[in-house]
Amino acid sequence: MERTLRTIEELRALRPRSARRGLRRIVLALPDDSAALRKAERVINRGLSACGCEMGAVFLAVGMLVMALSAFGGPGPSFPQSLQGWLGVVGVLMGLALVGKVVG
């Protein structure tokens, strides 16, 4: 859904998350039509569409890199030897991706 905002009060009314539910894009139609206003509109719209996927991918990649370095860093490869060990690795990586998504 797209919404056109004509006053600062309408913009302030969008502060609560519940007021932004279903909103995908805004258009600022304020009296001051400057370049700064267009930039603010782009920043707000980018924030509306942010889902945290990029940060989740970064956390996951760093976790995989750290685990790979630790597996190959010792005297011999230290890969998990059981299904339970592999499930633990997958669980840690999923947890890192989730934390990254929440942070993002």
Side-chain angles (χ1 to χ4, degrees), residues 3-20:
R3 182 180 295 173
T4 301
L5 306 176
R6 290 177 172 70
T7 65
I8 295 295
E9 289 75 29
E10 289 178 343
L11 183 60
R12 285 188 186 124
L14 292 178
R15 282 188 177 175
R17 181 177 293 268
S18 60
R20 296 187 309 268

Side-chain angles (χ1 to χ4, degrees), residues 50-99:
C51 68
C53 296
E54 295 86 6
M55 189 63 69
V58 169
F59 273 56
L60 178 64
V62 170
M64 290 173 67
L65 181 64
V66 167
M67 287 188 170
L69 290 175
S70 68
F72 293 113
S78 58
F79 292 105
Q81 301 298 318
S82 66
L83 178 62
Q84 185 178 8
W86 281 107
L87 290 175
V89 168
V90 170
V92 168
L93 292 175
M94 287 176 64
L96 285 171
L98 179 63
V99 168

Side-chain angles (χ1 to χ4, degrees), residues 21 36 102:
R21 189 163 308 166
V102 169

Side-chain angles (χ1 to χ4, degrees), residues 39 41-51:
K39 181 178 179 184
E41 183 178 275
R42 283 192 303 274
V43 169
I44 291 169
N45 285 325
R46 192 176 320 123
L48 286 173
S49 64
C51 68

